[in-house]
């Protein structure tokens, strides 16, 4: 059982929904980013998604694209991202960390070496948005053999024919993308999301977590009420980009977490 599995089992036992927060590793710099990441559990975050900066983030909207650029310009690398996870683990051995990004840096490192390093650093799962199920032998299956969850995205365009393929080797949780398009593009609507979550849950025992378009405590509560939890990324990244102190960013995160946990 991974930390992700344990976390969702614990939340289920408490009758609570999950709040997942995404931050870009190294944005705006290593030290500030690490301070934010270390503060997330205390702000009510159940699972941390740690963005791996990449030069061509095709699924991301402007907020996360710019965060990646800032991180890269500040010297963030795959090694530094793993170092951030290691530093976090010195004080927290229970909060799951999911590394989210693109395949190129992992491919360049070499899958076996990357998985060994990720496991050692305390990474629990991977979301690699540009690897479809047809490429499961590349990373998904090796990751699961190494003891990491491989979390797949389902979208509004994942029809009933495609869904079983998407779910086939997924573990940890299913990330349902609430809107078509890029991150931060539109507002998620619970009325649209609810039937899609129900459709996915009819095909899997895994928790279904909804992301994209969740920006306020009210939306977090509404979306979490029709799923097993929600993810917020762009809104948190934008708070950090505005130059607010870490304490204010974490206060904003706590308001979102409180919203999700009210569901």
């Amino acid at each position: 059982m991974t930390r992700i599995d344990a976390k969702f089992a614990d939340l289920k036992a408490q009758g609570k929904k999950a709040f997942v927060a995404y931050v870009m590793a190294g944005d705006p710099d290593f030290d500030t980013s690490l301070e934010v990441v270390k503060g997330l559990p205390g702000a009510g975050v159940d699972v941390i998604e740690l963005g791996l900066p990449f030069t061509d983030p095709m699924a991301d909207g402007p907020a996360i694209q710019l965060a990646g650029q800032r991180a890269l310009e500040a010297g963030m690398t795959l090694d530094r991202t793993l170092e951030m996870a290691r530093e976090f683990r010195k004080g927290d051995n229970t909060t799951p960390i999911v590394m989210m990004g693109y395949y190129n840096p992992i491919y360049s490192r070499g899958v076996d070496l990357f998985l060994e390093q990720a496991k050692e650093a305390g990474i629990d799962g991977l979301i690699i948005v540009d690897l479809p199920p047809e490429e499961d032998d590349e990373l998904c299956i090796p990751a699961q053999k190494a003891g990491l969850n491989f979390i797949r995205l389902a979208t509004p365009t994942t029809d009933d024919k495609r869904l079983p393929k998407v779910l086939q080797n997924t573990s940890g949780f299913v990330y349902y993308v609430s809107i078509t398009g890029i991150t931060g593009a539109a507002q998620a609507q619970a009325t649209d999301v609810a039937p899609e979550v129900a459709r996915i849950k009819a095909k899997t025992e895994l928790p279904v977590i909804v992301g994209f378009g969740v920006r306020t405590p009210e939306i977090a509560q509404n979306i979490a009420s029709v799923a097993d939890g929600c993810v917020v990324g762009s809104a948190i990244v934008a708070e950090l980009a505005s130059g607010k102190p870490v304490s204010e960013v974490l206060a904003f995160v706590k308001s979102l977490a409180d919203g999700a946990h009210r569901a």
Side-chain angles (χ1 to χ4, degrees):
M1 180 180 278
T2 66
R3 289 186 188 92
I4 297 169
D5 299 327
K7 175 60 72 174
F8 280 107
D10 183 47
L11 288 166
K12 187 175 183 180
Q14 295 181 58
K16 282 179 71 177
K17 300 301 179 78
F19 180 69
V20 183
Y22 170 96
V23 292
M24 179 65 73
D27 173 39
D29 57 67
F30 186 92
D31 291 342
T32 305
S33 183
L34 180 60
E35 188 182 350
V36 171
V37 171
K38 283 182 172 179
L40 292 175
V45 173
D46 299 301
V47 179
I48 297 168
E49 280 183 14
L50 191 60
L52 175 61
F54 182 54
T55 51
D56 189 21
M58 61 188 131
D60 294 306
I64 292 177
Q65 284 186 24
L66 290 168
Q69 287 177 18
R70 288 191 296 269
L72 290 168
E73 286 166 8
M76 206 60 183
T77 60
L78 174 55
D79 284 331
R80 295 282 279 161
T81 303
L82 292 171
E83 179 62 25
M84 185 169 288
R86 276 188 215 99
E87 287 297 317
F88 175 83
R89 284 282 170 240
K90 289 177 181 177
D92 187 316
N93 199 37
T94 56
T95 304
I97 301 176
V98 176
M99 184 183 282
M100 185 170 186
Y102 298 84
Y103 185 43
N104 186 282
I106 296 168
Y107 177 79
S108 298
R109 172 62 48 94
V111 166
D112 291 344
L113 178 57
F114 166 76
L115 290 173
E116 181 184 323
Q117 291 174 335
K119 184 80 174 168
E120 178 269 329
I123 301 292
D124 304 292
L126 302 172
I127 300 175
I128 307 300
V129 296
D130 54 348
L131 273 182
E134 286 74 16
E135 307 297 335
D136 274 356
D137 288 340
E138 285 279 328
L139 181 62
C140 172
I141 291 168
Q144 310 232 56
K145 285 180 180 173
L148 277 77
N149 291 124
F150 198 88
I151 295 135
R152 188 84 67 193
L153 276 66
T155 74
T157 59
T158 307
D159 61 20
D160 288 337
K161 184 179 178 184
R162 180 67 174 166
L163 186 59
K165 186 76 174 173
V166 169
L167 296 174
Q168 185 174 310
N169 292 315
T170 299
S171 67
F173 60 92
V174 179
Y175 187 136
Y176 179 68
V177 176
S178 67
I179 54 173
T180 52
I182 54 176
T183 56
Q187 187 168 298
Q189 302 289 341
T191 49
D192 297 331
V193 167
E196 292 298 301
V197 169
R199 183 169 69 93
I200 296 166
K201 287 183 75 67
K203 302 288 185 184
T204 181
E205 298 292 315
L206 292 171
V208 180
I209 306 300
V210 177
F212 286 48
V214 183
R215 296 197 188 111
T216 67
E218 294 72 29
I219 300 172
Q221 181 177 354
N222 291 341
I223 294 298
S225 71
V226 298
D228 296 302
C230 68
V231 185
V232 179
S234 294
I236 296 170
V237 168
E239 287 288 300
L240 197 53
S242 71
K244 291 180 180 175
V246 169
S247 59
E248 287 188 28
V249 175
L250 292 173
F252 174 66
V253 173
K254 185 177 187 306
S255 73
L256 295 163
D258 289 347
H261 290 148
R262 280 197 296 270

